[in-house]
Amino acid sequence: MRLSQYHLATVKEVPADAEIASHQLMLRTGMIRKLAAGLYTWAPLGLRVMRKVEQVVREEMDRAGAIEMLMPTIQPRELWEETTRWQKFGGQLLKIKDRKEQEFCYAPTAEEVVTDFARNELKSYKQLPVNFYQIQTKFRDEIRPRFGVMRAREFVMKDAYSFHLGQDSLGQTYQAMYDAYTRIFSRLGLKFRAVQADTGAIGGNASHEFQVLADAGEDALVFSDGSDYAANIEKAEALAPTTSRPAPAAELERVDTPTQKTIEDVAAFLKVEPSQCVKTILVQGSKGLVALCVRGDHEVNEVKAGKLAEMPGESALATEAEILAVTGTRPGFIGPVGLPAEIPVIVDRSAAVLADFICGGNQDGTHYSGANWERDARVTRVEDIRKVVEGDPSPDGKGSLRMGRGIEVGHVFQLGGKYAEALKATVLDESGKAQVMLMGCYGIGVSRIVAAAIEQCHDEAGILWPEAMAPWRVAVCMINPKGLPEVTQAAETLYAQLQERGIEVVLDDRGLRPGAMFADMELIGIPHRVVVSERGVAAGTLEYRARNAAESRNIDSAELFALLG
Amino acid sequence: MRLSQYHLATVKEVPADAEIASHQLMLRTGMIRKLAAGLYTWAPLGLRVMRKVEQVVREEMDRAGAIEMLMPTIQPRELWEETTRWQKFGGQLLKIKDRKEQEFCYAPTAEEVVTDFARNELKSYKQLPVNFYQIQTKFRDEIRPRFGVMRAREFVMKDAYSFHLGQDSLGQTYQAMYDAYTRIFSRLGLKFRAVQADTGAIGGNASHEFQVLADAGEDALVFSDGSDYAANIEKAEALAPTTSRPAPAAELERVDTPTQKTIEDVAAFLKVEPSQCVKTILVQGSKGLVALCVRGDHEVNEVKAGKLAEMPGESALATEAEILAVTGTRPGFIGPVGLPAEIPVIVDRSAAVLADFICGGNQDGTHYSGANWERDARVTRVEDIRKVVEGDPSPDGKGSLRMGRGIEVGHVFQLGGKYAEALKATVLDESGKAQVMLMGCYGIGVSRIVAAAIEQCHDEAGILWPEAMAPWRVAVCMINPKGLPEVTQAAETLYAQLQERGIEVVLDDRGLRPGAMFADMELIGIPHRVVVSERGVAAGTLEYRARNAAESRNIDSAELFALLG
């Protein structure tokens, strides 16, 4: 591509409303332009990158035996009613009435349509397993779209859905997709981790998120320093302490803590470590309040809490009024000692091995010291209900946990029978009996990957594209203010030679000053840059610089071809 | 591709609600599945074909210097208000409210968004000309979607928009797009014509439709048998007769035609040719009724009529009540003789050279014979207002016109300043003055091409794909009921050899009966079929048949590779 024939529109200013690096850089490079809240036009430079991602995704899906199809973006309400998601999907579902007042939605995902397709197309176990995918525009009416294409309303997603008779088959395809995703993100040149994810209310058996590692990531992740273990913090198990609970040594004693309501204040006031305190949180259970007790230096994991038998599937804090009504005490002074009998007391594994601990006094302005489980405080059950922290042992028993942040770009999920049951998608098995199929679903945020890669790969000068995602692998910058024919000739020859070798090359023939040209090429992140100038032509050299190198160096074209492979 | 690993779902029955061949065949081959009215899922086989079309379109657009981008499908009302198309587009515009009650539409076309993009991105004449395109899903809320993907509501379109300073530049890009479209449809292997099209109310200067020729086409086309001239019938000029009008020879005479209201009835009753009669149509003009007079064997061209100075931009018939009120006569007996003076009489060029003609008597149950222009009937103006007919001289003076039917699959259009003026899209010219840009727009119905090709290329056994559009170029059918390893081996070897040569091949390894296998391969239109069987392996031959050949013949693999190129 000759830049003189292209539309490159970089800007120097950091856009005011862009909060994160990828959003700023996508605007500054002119990769995207905002049309309205959460709606972005992919300008030519941006689309070049997205198409590369799309192609890698397509190749690896095909290689893994998935079959591409294309479903409508506009889908009828009736089908979404069959799974009850017309209501349950919530405000993110963009609902539409056509000119005949028929109701539709703009698909945020396609389980309904693909399962409907499958129930019509698939009749026999002989047609299974099968894995259908599409790369298609999706819409989620985010209440607060932000971070550019990272959380846009309209976006491009690869979604795949597999159909099976039996869990073994589902497990095999799940593993094949896991492997395909690993190849995809590896080929794209991204640092990523497949982390165990919570399967949420959707049910299902197994789920992994593919997370591009980046400091600005929305998701908190944990990794083992001694193994491959990685998980979303929501999912990571906090192992039970290997020590057992000491016998009580102290007497239970009520102490005045007139203004100390937080663990930190209480611990400082009583001159103990927070880890010697028990924090008690009252949440709204299915049948009244539930007490959750964790160590003072730990936090309740809401996802784990939401799954307790006492909970309605999610975890919501009790209000101050509810707490006052049931305990007679204000928040800040609640503890497990003497709580009304109707309140179940769920104690975290780490809190359960404490003895002689500090906890709320269930009376305003007081705490207990010397409290002990069983002797002083009821334990309904010991469970894992806390968030893991840095240094916790890895759940696989190997190494300790470290914390990090990631951007979710892929998700593989064993749906099981959820959708196929709702839509009665059955096939005949070997004995001629109708069986509901099992399903897996596998998503990749194609447009989001572009932003996630920038989030991971940038410096103060701009983007550092991995080679597989770069709009062009190499830029030939022609510096020729005098218009010397030998310089033009040398640049054109090099440009043609690179093209002949199948190397994606952009020729900067715009005639800009060298500084402006270099700044543009660095900003848009071209991995390799060569300068063709009067001096270089005279010396028979090219000035080469890798985007991530500190200095440029002189090489000849043979060296250039060799290093570009 | 191995068919055993693919999802092929052909059906024998002709679907009841599919009226035309392409719709029937797309359903029978399992290329598409209906989700709702005008909404189709592209099953794997269909998508394979559509992606081939898309790729040819993309390659030729790129070759012609157009730059690909991607605009949102969901577009804000505000922008569509700026061009007044929020109202004017009519019921086909699917309007949407988001969760915040903001209004949007699902883009049926993208002039507004691309012109908004251009007004923000393009500042200087130095950036021009530029031609942006996208291949993107569109939505038109057709009141009567039909013919499958031929007239679907959701469809895939390539739309391009060029920006210029000056008509010369617009003309050059228009020609480049015309040439690119010619290459696209040629590469796709379709019989097509670029026909002059009416530019409609949109204004603009030049317009060509690219029509795939097919008997079931919705558009009536005319071609010269002596030149390249081709036009949509709406647009084709009916040349003035070379003969001049004879002098009147007969007397004007009122004749009773008590029940004869049509030209055919009147001509038969009076024993004259319809070409000796004048047909008079009253239409609603801007300031009352207008009379349109054509020869009895001709039809009024509504598009031409709509452009008359007396007309409001479109042509609508007067109602019986209006005709009765103004003329005192019922339709069927209207004629130019003695019409009220306030009604302009527009006479077609061919009708204007008649003498001694028959026409309505402006009195129920009567006609005139021996009528003559000027002497008996007012002529406000002579114009070209009729549809051309078979045998008319070609407007370019070379040959005669022949009629045909076509399916519009592409359209190139010189928009001029229409959108850029409305959106104030200007650039600075060489003298630093802001100038409104000129625009061209260039559409291709990517999904429609698939249906149009089938409409053109099918027989009673199924589709006959042109090689460039075929899902696979060659099918290797393995007939091996005994499970002989040498037959399997031969089929696998041939399959691998074809793949190595870069030839797209499908291996039918489903183990069906030969008849069922052949019927499927013919139905889905694979251009070349080879059979690997026990007998063939023993004889060292392959049974080869081209899809369009009457018979199969035995060849060896070297011949096969040679004929596949």
Side-chain angles (χ1 to χ4, degrees):
Chain A
M1 181 62 68
R2 292 164 198 279
L3 270 190
S4 62
Q5 308 294 312
Y6 196 69
H7 179 71
L8 184 67
T10 57
V11 292
K12 285 213 177 58
E13 299 72 30
V14 176
D17 62 342
E19 298 167 48
I20 60 171
S22 59
H23 189 191
Q24 293 168 357
L25 284 167
M26 290 185 81
L27 290 169
R28 286 184 56 206
T29 54
M31 291 177 66
I32 56 170
R33 293 295 179 226
K34 184 175 174 177
L35 176 63
L39 300 177
Y40 289 88
T41 292
W42 287 78
L45 186 71
L47 184 66
R48 272 189 84 86
V49 176
M50 183 156 72
R51 288 268 187 256
K52 286 177 192 280
V53 175
E54 197 177 309
Q55 191 52 29
V56 170
V57 171
R58 179 173 287 120
E59 287 171 11
E60 293 299 337
M61 291 301 292
D62 289 345
R63 183 203 303 255
I67 305 175
E68 190 173 3
M69 60 185 295
L70 190 69
M71 290 173 263
T73 62
I74 300 298
Q75 307 185 343
R77 171 176 176 159
E78 291 70 25
L79 211 46
W80 283 73
E81 291 280 7
E82 287 191 58
T83 60
T84 71
R85 287 212 298 178
W86 182 260
Q87 285 77 26
K88 283 194 181 156
F89 205 92
Q92 286 198 343
L93 191 66
L94 184 69
K95 295 177 177 177
I96 300 168
K97 277 191 189 160
D98 73 3
R99 67 195 298 174
K100 292 174 182 165
E101 298 287 308
Q102 301 282 321
E103 287 189 278
F104 296 85
C105 65
Y106 197 126
T109 172
E111 281 84 0
E112 280 76 4
V113 169
V114 80
T115 309
D116 175 60
F117 179 80
R119 70 179 165 183
N120 294 324
E121 296 279 315
L122 304 175
K123 307 295 181 194
S124 158
Y125 71 96
K126 291 180 189 164
Q127 293 172 283
L128 303 184
V130 64
N131 189 2
F132 295 116
Y133 80 98
Q134 66 172 351
I135 299 177
Q136 173 69 305
T137 307
K138 304 281 188 302
F139 199 96
R140 288 188 192 182
D141 199 1
E142 298 280 354
I143 201 156
R144 201 179 144 230
R146 61 204 150 122
F147 305 149
V149 298
M150 190 81 85
R151 189 168 290 280
R153 294 199 287 175
E154 187 170 324
F155 56 98
V156 177
M157 183 171 147
K158 186 283 298 175
D159 44 328
Y161 308 88
S162 65
F163 295 87
H164 309 271
L165 208 58
Q167 178 62 35
D168 283 357
S169 170
L170 171 55
Q172 282 159 17
T173 296
Y174 183 86
Q175 185 62 45
M177 284 294 99
Y178 184 103
D179 295 342
Y181 278 34
T182 301
R183 282 194 300 273
I184 287 167
F185 297 113
S186 300
R187 279 184 62 184
L188 291 175
L190 297 173
K191 290 191 279 291
F192 70 98
R193 293 295 287 265
V195 306
Q196 293 181 12
D198 178 59
T199 52
I202 208 167
N205 305 308
S207 169
H208 282 87
E209 290 166 1
F210 284 76
Q211 295 268 358
V212 166
L213 305 182
D215 294 340
E218 284 191 301
D219 288 341
L221 310 177
V222 296
F223 314 95
S224 170
D225 61 8
S227 75
D228 279 345
Y229 177 83
N232 194 303
I233 198 166
E234 292 175 343
K235 167 78 176 183
E237 182 182 3
L239 293 183
T242 49
T243 55
S244 55
R245 188 169 74 210
E251 291 302 307
L252 182 69
E253 190 177 347
R254 188 181 293 276
V255 291
D256 283 339
T257 50
T259 60
Q260 288 74 28
K261 296 165 89 174
T262 68
I263 290 290
E264 290 67 30
D265 291 349
V266 171
F269 184 71
L270 300 178
K271 300 192 169 55
V272 297
E273 290 299 312
S275 59
Q276 193 51 32
C277 303
V278 164
K279 187 182 335 187
T280 305
I281 308 286
L282 291 177
V283 294
Q284 293 169 326
S286 314
K287 302 172 183 168
L289 297 189
V290 176
L292 306 177
C293 297
V294 296
R295 228 167 63 182
D297 56 336
H298 288 157
E299 299 288 337
V300 168
N301 179 322
E302 292 177 11
V303 170
K304 293 179 183 175
K307 291 185 174 172
L308 293 171
E310 291 82 359
M311 300 296 290
E314 54 178 18
S315 165
L317 289 177
T319 64
E320 182 161 345
E322 287 170 320
I323 294 171
L324 202 56
V326 175
T327 67
T329 314
R330 283 177 300 128
F333 303 104
I334 304 297
V337 178
L339 267 187
E342 71 267 24
I343 301 183
V345 179
I346 310 297
V347 183
D348 181 68
R349 291 165 170 177
S350 297
V353 297
L354 292 182
D356 305 333
F357 54 81
I358 309 289
C359 63
N362 288 330
Q363 184 179 306
D364 285 1
T366 72
H367 276 75
Y368 284 114
S369 70
N372 280 277
W373 299 115
E374 313 290 352
R375 188 191 75 180
D376 309 317
R378 239 179 339 110
V379 176
T380 307
R381 220 162 56 249
V382 175
E383 294 262 12
D384 171 23
I385 58 171
R386 72 169 171 96
K387 287 182 184 166
V388 293
V389 294
E390 182 100 22
D392 271 343
S394 176
D396 67 354
K398 298 172 192 160
S400 303
L401 293 181
R402 298 281 166 260
M403 316 295 279
R405 299 200 74 81
I407 299 162
E408 186 189 340
V409 290
H411 201 160
V412 292
F413 205 105
Q414 296 193 15
L415 287 170
K418 183 178 159 74
Y419 292 95
E421 277 161 17
L423 289 160
K424 299 185 183 60
T426 61
V427 292
L428 298 181
D429 65 13
E430 290 196 47
S431 63
K433 204 176 131 209
Q435 297 271 10
V436 171
M437 291 183 277
L438 295 180
M439 288 174 63
C441 72
Y442 318 96
I444 286 185
V446 173
S447 45
R448 176 181 266 199
I449 285 174
V450 178
I454 296 174
E455 216 47 69
Q456 184 177 84
C457 311
H458 70 273
D459 61 17
E460 57 293 333
I463 302 168
L464 289 96
W465 288 117
E467 303 247 342
M469 295 180 69
W472 300 277
R473 285 186 66 207
V474 53
V476 174
C477 296
M478 180 167 66
I479 302 180
N480 193 14
K482 298 182 198 161
L484 300 173
E486 62 269 28
V487 176
T488 306
Q489 183 58 46
E492 291 285 348
T493 301
L494 181 62
Y495 177 57
Q497 287 172 329
L498 288 163
Q499 284 188 313
E500 278 161 22
R501 282 169 172 74
I503 295 164
E504 279 200 311
V505 52
V506 64
L507 174 65
D508 194 343
D509 57 349
R510 294 175 298 167
L512 299 188
R513 289 176 301 100
M517 198 166 7
F518 297 165
D520 268 357
M521 293 307 104
E522 287 177 19
L523 181 63
I524 70 173
I526 307 302
H528 308 276
R529 184 187 81 199
V530 281
V531 177
V532 178
S533 64
E534 182 182 357
R535 199 174 52 189
V537 170
T541 59
L542 301 164
E543 189 188 308
Y544 167 81
R545 184 171 169 184
R547 174 65 180 83
N548 58 2
E551 300 284 336
S552 51
R553 59 193 171 95
N554 289 327
I555 63 176
D556 62 21
S557 56
E559 278 177 85
L560 178 68
F561 301 149
L563 77 83
L564 292 174
Chain B
M1 180 64 67
R2 292 165 197 278
L3 271 191
S4 63
Q5 308 294 311
Y6 196 69
H7 179 70
L8 183 67
T10 57
V11 290
K12 285 213 179 58
E13 298 73 28
V14 177
D17 61 343
E19 299 167 48
I20 60 173
S22 59
H23 189 192
Q24 292 169 355
L25 284 167
M26 290 185 81
L27 290 170
R28 285 185 55 206
T29 54
M31 291 177 66
I32 56 170
R33 291 294 180 230
K34 184 175 176 178
L35 177 61
L39 300 176
Y40 289 88
T41 291
W42 287 79
L45 186 71
L47 185 65
R48 271 189 84 87
V49 176
M50 182 156 72
R51 288 266 187 257
K52 285 175 193 281
V53 174
E54 197 177 309
Q55 191 53 30
V56 169
V57 170
R58 179 173 287 120
E59 286 172 11
E60 294 300 336
M61 290 301 291
D62 290 345
R63 184 205 301 255
I67 306 176
E68 189 173 3
M69 59 186 294
L70 190 69
M71 290 174 265
T73 61
I74 299 298
Q75 306 186 343
R77 170 176 177 159
E78 292 69 26
L79 212 46
W80 283 73
E81 290 281 7
E82 286 192 59
T83 61
T84 71
R85 288 212 296 178
W86 183 260
Q87 284 77 28
K88 283 193 182 156
F89 205 93
Q92 285 198 344
L93 191 67
L94 184 70
K95 295 178 178 176
I96 300 168
K97 276 191 189 159
D98 73 4
R99 67 196 297 174
K100 293 173 182 166
E101 298 287 309
Q102 300 282 320
E103 287 189 277
F104 295 85
C105 64
Y106 197 125
T109 171
E111 281 83 1
E112 280 76 4
V113 169
V114 80
T115 309
D116 176 60
F117 180 79
R119 72 178 164 184
N120 293 325
E121 296 278 316
L122 304 176
K123 307 296 180 193
S124 159
Y125 71 96
K126 292 179 189 164
Q127 294 172 282
L128 302 184
V130 64
N131 189 2
F132 295 116
Y133 80 97
Q134 66 172 351
I135 298 176
Q136 174 69 307
T137 308
K138 304 283 187 301
F139 199 96
R140 287 188 194 183
D141 199 1
E142 299 279 354
I143 201 156
R144 201 178 144 229
R146 61 204 152 124
F147 305 148
V149 298
M150 189 80 86
R151 189 168 290 279
R153 296 199 288 174
E154 187 171 326
F155 56 99
V156 177
M157 183 172 148
K158 187 282 298 175
D159 44 330
Y161 309 88
S162 65
F163 295 86
H164 309 271
L165 208 56
Q167 178 62 36
D168 284 356
S169 170
L170 171 55
Q172 283 160 18
T173 297
Y174 183 85
Q175 185 62 43
M177 284 295 98
Y178 184 102
D179 295 342
Y181 278 34
T182 301
R183 283 194 300 272
I184 288 166
F185 297 113
S186 299
R187 278 184 62 184
L188 292 175
L190 296 172
K191 289 190 279 291
F192 70 98
R193 292 297 286 264
V195 306
Q196 293 180 13
D198 179 59
T199 52
I202 208 167
N205 305 306
S207 170
H208 283 87
E209 290 166 0
F210 284 76
Q211 295 268 358
V212 166
L213 306 182
D215 294 339
E218 283 192 303
D219 288 341
L221 311 177
V222 297
F223 315 96
S224 170
D225 61 8
S227 76
D228 278 345
Y229 177 84
N232 194 303
I233 198 166
E234 293 174 344
K235 168 79 176 181
E237 183 183 2
L239 292 183
T242 49
T243 56
S244 55
R245 187 169 73 213
E251 290 302 306
L252 183 69
E253 189 179 346
R254 190 182 291 278
V255 290
D256 282 338
T257 51
T259 61
Q260 288 73 28
K261 297 164 89 174
T262 68
I263 291 288
E264 289 68 30
D265 290 349
V266 170
F269 184 71
L270 300 179
K271 299 191 171 55
V272 297
E273 290 299 314
S275 59
Q276 193 53 32
C277 303
V278 164
K279 185 178 346 185
T280 304
I281 308 286
L282 291 177
V283 294
Q284 293 169 326
S286 313
K287 302 171 184 169
L289 298 189
V290 176
L292 306 176
C293 296
V294 296
R295 228 167 62 183
D297 56 337
H298 289 156
E299 299 288 336
V300 168
N301 179 322
E302 291 177 14
V303 171
K304 292 178 183 174
K307 289 183 176 175
L308 293 171
E310 290 82 359
M311 300 297 289
E314 54 176 19
S315 165
L317 290 178
T319 64
E320 180 160 348
E322 287 170 322
I323 294 170
L324 201 57
V326 174
T327 67
T329 314
R330 282 178 299 128
F333 304 103
I334 304 297
V337 179
L339 265 188
E342 72 268 24
I343 300 183
V345 179
I346 309 297
V347 182
D348 182 67
R349 291 165 170 176
S350 297
V353 297
L354 293 182
D356 305 332
F357 55 81
I358 310 289
C359 63
N362 288 328
Q363 185 180 305
D364 286 358
T366 73
H367 277 74
Y368 283 114
S369 69
N372 281 277
W373 298 114
E374 312 291 352
R375 188 191 74 179
D376 309 316
R378 238 176 345 106
V379 176
T380 305
R381 224 162 54 251
V382 175
E383 295 261 13
D384 171 24
I385 57 170
R386 72 169 171 96
K387 287 182 185 167
V388 293
V389 294
E390 182 100 21
D392 272 343
S394 177
D396 66 355
K398 299 173 192 159
S400 301
L401 292 182
R402 297 281 166 263
M403 316 295 279
R405 299 200 74 81
I407 299 162
E408 186 189 342
V409 288
H411 200 161
V412 293
F413 205 105
Q414 295 192 17
L415 287 170
K418 182 177 159 76
Y419 291 94
E421 277 161 19
L423 289 161
K424 300 186 183 58
T426 61
V427 292
L428 298 180
D429 65 12
E430 288 197 47
S431 64
K433 205 177 129 205
Q435 298 270 11
V436 172
M437 292 183 276
L438 295 180
M439 289 173 62
C441 73
Y442 318 96
I444 286 185
V446 173
S447 44
R448 177 182 267 199
I449 286 174
V450 178
I454 296 173
E455 213 51 66
Q456 185 177 84
C457 311
H458 69 273
D459 62 16
E460 56 292 335
I463 302 169
L464 289 97
W465 287 117
E467 303 247 343
M469 295 180 68
W472 300 277
R473 286 186 66 207
V474 53
V476 174
C477 296
M478 180 167 68
I479 302 180
N480 193 13
K482 299 183 199 160
L484 300 173
E486 63 269 29
V487 176
T488 305
Q489 183 58 46
E492 290 285 348
T493 300
L494 181 62
Y495 177 58
Q497 287 173 329
L498 287 163
Q499 284 187 313
E500 277 162 24
R501 283 168 172 74
I503 294 165
E504 279 198 312
V505 53
V506 63
L507 174 65
D508 195 343
D509 57 348
R510 295 176 296 169
L512 300 188
R513 288 176 301 101
M517 197 166 9
F518 297 165
D520 269 357
M521 293 306 104
E522 286 176 21
L523 181 64
I524 70 173
I526 307 303
H528 308 277
R529 184 187 81 198
V530 281
V531 177
V532 178
S533 63
E534 182 182 358
R535 198 174 51 187
V537 170
T541 59
L542 302 163
E543 187 187 311
Y544 167 81
R545 182 170 170 185
R547 174 65 179 83
N548 58 2
E551 299 284 337
S552 52
R553 58 194 172 94
N554 288 329
I555 63 176
D556 63 22
S557 56
E559 278 177 87
L560 178 68
F561 302 149
L563 77 83
L564 292 175

